[in-house]
Amino acid sequence: MLRACVVVILGFLSSFPLFSECSWRDLGDLRTREIGFSLSAAGGEVWFATGWGVAVRSESTGALLASIPVPGTTVAVEGVEGGAWAGSGSSLFFIRRNPRLEIAATLDLGSAINDIARSGSFLWVATATGVVQVDILNPLAPRVGAKLSTSTGSAHSVAVAGASLYVADGDRTIEIYTIVVPTLPQRIGEWESLPRTSSINAVANHLLASDGQQTEVIGGSGAALARVAMLPWGANSATSAGGSLIFIAGNDRKARLIDLSAPLTTSLTTVESPLMSGTVNRMGGVHLNGDLLLAAAGDAGVRGWTFDRVGAPFSVRFLPLSGGVHSSSFAGDRLIVAPFSGGLQSYSDASSRISLGATWATERSWFIHDGLEQRLLTSSGLLLSLWDVSAGSQTLISQITLRSSVRTAILSSATSAVVLLADQSLWRVDLSNAAATATEVAADPDPSSLARAGSAIVSATVRQDGTTLLRYWVNGELSSAPMEAVVEGAANSGVALSTNGVAAVATFRGLILVNFAQGGAVTVVPGTNASPVTDLVIAGDRVLMLTDRRLEMRQLTGGALLQSWELDSAGSGVVALGPKALVTSPEGFAVVNLEASAVAPMEVALGADENRFYRMMARDGERLWLVESGAADLFMIDPQGTARWSARIVLPANPVGIAATRGLLYSLSAAGVVSAWNGAGRKVVEAVIDESEDQQVGKILEAAGALWIGITHGCSAGGCQSKTVILDPANALVRTAALSGAVIDVVAHGSRAAAVFDFPDELRTYDLSNPAQPAVMSSRATEGDPVSVDFGNGIIWTLGDRLRAWQESNLTPLAAHLDAYVSEPQTSYLDQKVRIQGDCLLVAGRTAAPSLWSVHSATSISPRSTPAVSGVVKDVVVEDGSLHLLTETSLEFWTTLAPMERGRAVRR
């Protein structure tokens, strides 16, 4: 349990310098989350930018070799001889491998770094203000060289191919520079690509330009380029798999193997990282070495998969089609599909490469019901049609308009069909002439689905009692008396039939086989009811079951599992002929080689810690609570201010706010329920705030042991009212007071508190001699939309559009500091925090990095050296000389206590 959560281990070295100014010093951090932003391979190792810093892993096994925190949010990395260059925030860091990792050089580029590419002894860095060239001939003294502007002013991605540099800057054009003379890069043209091209990759002698949703494959060199293909998937990253095979990874958390030389874009193998509760659910980088694929998988961290082989013959090939495919059939060695967009399409499938043949009857949307040799039976509404689809021709043989739309139909011969209509009537249709004729067949009871094998026919009828009746005509003569069998459950996925008289259906009990050649003996195959069956078909002595994104092949006799295949998308129907199966889906169709090895890629256990997505924290004495969606972790704070994991509890709902006091965690739900939890995860007490049906709860905050909860109500009637309810944890959460306005932030020191409110927008001070009954001392209208407040030495500080100082005694405005708030990537106005201890003031959440200021007076503050932090600060708590900063990737520890011999706390 402890290993699955967060563990703190004290090391002997610190990666960041310690600062004595302002009396705060950096005690260490606890990594809570590894974000796989990007990767780069060099010298048998793969470097990962993990948000928290940089990790290096073995290229052959994926094993973690070393990691190091880097100030800021590390999103880009480029491996080089002797180490790697990391882009974090606006700075470029050289991480030396010696063999431990150490930050050996830092270069501030002045704007946020998005991507890095290398050419010889130069780096080309994509930043928020364009491309910066960096000379790394001496990695310990990097120097800024040329600066390249772009048409949008920023650069999202860069790629080097030969002597050319390609830049994606978020608009339609890719900008092209020659770097034959690296010190004199010259713009030589542009390439018009996707409207919002955000990434560019060079792989297998091609460029891949992507907007996150689709990808243009570009051939050529320099400015002489040509479009090769358009992929319907985004490609944040790509890696060669040998020859024209490449893996691409994108925003759908998938890495796909594709063949750049194939006539049609086809996915040959797909792996997928899990969906996490964070905000970086995408793959940012992939690297293949032999049979091991490593991925920088966003919130899923670093992932790896092994393959039995990467090459033909491929067990599953998926061809995406816009709008998806209704249905399909085989016609010899060709594939016939009916797209949702209309018409019928023929494809050839030779040498494992799918290519488009004829397209016809595009004036209608069709459904393919059956195929027999070179005949194809289709319907469109009331219209039933038989086609000759011999190679090189698509000829309409016969057609008839029926009295109701076709539900299902089968070919009982090359010129005869049995048709079930939507009105449940059953018909025999003669298709031997151009004008077909139909004769109704008495069917009692009315069937739900049909199947054929040779001349034999079987029907399945789902009955009102929840059972399914199977009726079997061995010679296909529906006027004769059939054999019958009843099975338990509703066979909503249809029925299949073999040439030797075995029918197959799937119900809630799983796969059921009925052997009519043995008098209707029923076999329920155990272990086949885990997933609902979408469709099934019998091919020879095997039965194929389609279940969502998996195709299973089982022995017809006994139902033993032979093989299974993972599909690229959820399948809707399956047909089979010889060694192939054809699976249709709302996204396209897949061809499954039933005789090829079906060994799926296996995920490799890389020994990574489980990511936590903490959104808020609260401290009460030695207890520190960190909360994510649906759960909370309790940490115990030691005398030096570092934390050790103690317990994890499950919360029944995602809280909108938390507070801690009296040894308990208090959560506030969106419904206004306040619950108190102990360290064992037991709910101790609960209270409900119910002002009106349209109430909206805001924050829950602790002040001197009491709980302050802001709410707004009455807005649906046009008269919004806001108030702050005070609950007393010492008295079973009894409501003891109500204050006007919804509290935004409150901080208590001793028996006094300062608070900022919304509606009315006010700054107030309170006497907390009785915490359950706060007594207002002074109040005034706020300025600058403050979201955080603290006070000390007679001065109140509020932080909003600017940092403002107020006289504590009478709330007179004294000064405004800092420039006006400007939104930055990954920051939010509401995340701002101001906290003060002694003469040291902390400002966090306003920019990517927090800042410390020495307070000389209300009108005079000066910046101080600030300990480096990994990630953007989201929350802050200060207590007993310890300061904790919650970032996207870590929990940082600062202290005013005297230093000990031990160094940085690092999560392993």
Side-chain angles (χ1 to χ4, degrees), residues 531-867:
S531 301
V533 175
T534 305
D535 195 13
L536 46 73
V537 66
I538 293 176
D541 61 352
R542 299 166 295 186
V543 58
L544 300 177
M545 296 172 54
L546 182 62
T547 61
D548 189 34
R549 290 175 54 180
R550 178 185 292 270
L551 181 66
E552 294 184 357
M553 182 169 68
R554 293 182 174 272
Q555 192 70 45
L556 185 59
T557 303
L561 180 64
L562 301 175
Q563 290 197 75
S564 65
W565 296 266
E566 294 291 333
L567 304 174
D568 200 71
S569 67
S572 56
V574 58
V575 295
L577 180 66
K580 294 180 183 178
L582 189 55
V583 179
T584 56
S585 85
E587 298 178 25
F589 67 86
V591 181
V592 181
N593 187 339
L594 302 178
E595 296 180 351
S597 170
V599 178
M602 298 293 293
E603 186 162 6
V604 180
L606 298 179
D609 291 318
E610 185 178 351
N611 280 345
R612 297 299 190 206
F613 301 91
Y614 298 126
R615 299 181 294 117
M616 46 193 148
M617 64 177 173
R619 183 176 173 183
D620 172 39
E622 64 180 4
R623 293 175 176 84
L624 180 69
W625 299 87
L626 272 67
V627 174
E628 61 178 340
S629 177
D633 283 318
L634 171 61
F635 296 83
M636 304 305 292
I637 305 297
D638 66 21
Q640 280 294 302
T642 59
R644 183 172 295 275
W645 179 86
S646 176
R648 183 169 178 83
I649 67 172
V650 175
L651 302 178
N654 296 332
V656 297
I658 61 168
T661 187
R662 302 179 65 85
L664 301 176
L665 172 70
Y666 292 85
S667 64
L668 173 65
S669 75
V673 179
V674 180
S675 304
W677 309 88
N678 63 19
R682 185 172 63 88
K683 186 188 297 184
V684 177
V685 66
E686 183 175 277
V688 178
I689 298 173
D690 187 13
E691 293 294 325
S692 67
E693 291 184 355
D694 69 344
Q695 76 175 11
Q696 295 181 347
V697 297
K699 292 189 174 183
I700 177 171
L701 301 166
E702 181 272 337
L707 298 179
W708 297 35
I709 301 167
I711 59 173
T712 301
H713 64 97
C715 295
S716 60
C720 289
Q721 300 179 49
S722 291
K723 66 173 61 175
T724 297
V725 174
I726 309 297
L727 302 184
D728 186 4
N731 190 20
L733 293 179
V734 170
R735 176 171 169 170
T736 57
L739 312 176
S740 63
V743 65
I744 298 173
D745 193 22
V746 59
V747 172
H749 297 304
S751 61
R752 292 178 300 162
V756 287
F757 291 82
D758 184 25
F759 204 22
D761 301 338
E762 288 186 350
L763 169 63
R764 303 175 196 163
T765 59
Y766 284 91
D767 180 354
L768 299 184
S769 298
N770 180 0
Q773 296 282 344
V776 66
M777 298 169 63
S778 56
S779 66
R780 64 156 294 142
T782 57
E783 297 178 15
D785 297 320
V787 293
S788 184
V789 64
D790 203 348
F791 65 99
N793 298 323
I795 305 170
I796 295 177
W797 301 90
T798 60
L799 184 63
D801 71 329
R802 300 182 68 186
L803 175 67
R804 298 177 185 273
W806 312 79
Q807 185 70 45
E808 182 183 345
S809 59
N810 55 19
L811 301 186
T812 300
L814 300 177
H817 304 275
L818 308 183
D819 294 333
Y821 177 87
V822 176
S823 178
E824 292 189 0
Q826 300 178 298
T827 64
S828 168
Y829 189 91
L830 297 179
D831 287 340
Q832 294 183 91
K833 288 286 189 299
V834 58
R835 293 294 181 258
I836 187 168
Q837 181 162 317
D839 64 351
C840 189
L841 184 138
L842 171 78
V843 173
R846 188 177 180 84
T847 59
S851 59
L852 287 175
W853 300 80
S854 285
V855 177
H856 310 294
S857 67
T859 59
S860 176
I861 63 173
S862 59
R864 289 298 192 183
S865 296
T866 306

Side-chain angles (χ1 to χ4, degrees), residues 119 122 124 133 160-165 177-188 222:
S119 175
F122 291 91
W124 304 92
Q133 180 199 57
V160 173
S164 298
L165 172 70
Y177 298 82
T178 177
I179 53 174
V180 172
V181 181
T183 55
L184 294 173
Q186 299 292 319
R187 191 177 190 277
I188 58 173

Side-chain angles (χ1 to χ4, degrees), residues 410-412 418 450-459 471-478 497-502 516:
I410 56 173
L411 283 169
S412 55
V418 177
L450 301 169
R452 63 144 177 104
S455 60
I457 295 175
V458 68
S459 71
R471 310 179 84 206
Y472 174 71
W473 294 267
V474 66
N475 57 6
E477 291 296 330
L478 299 179
L497 183 64
S498 74
T499 55
N500 60 355
V502 178
F516 286 104

Side-chain angles (χ1 to χ4, degrees), residues 140-188:
L140 301 183
R143 295 183 296 109
V144 172
K147 294 185 177 182
L148 311 178
S149 60
T150 65
S151 56
T152 64
S154 65
H156 294 202
S157 179
V158 287
V160 173
S164 298
L165 172 70
Y166 300 90
V167 182
D169 60 349
D171 63 6
R172 183 179 291 275
T173 60
I174 297 168
E175 300 181 29
I176 309 169
Y177 298 82
T178 177
I179 53 174
V180 172
V181 181
T183 55
L184 294 173
Q186 299 292 319
R187 191 177 190 277
I188 58 173

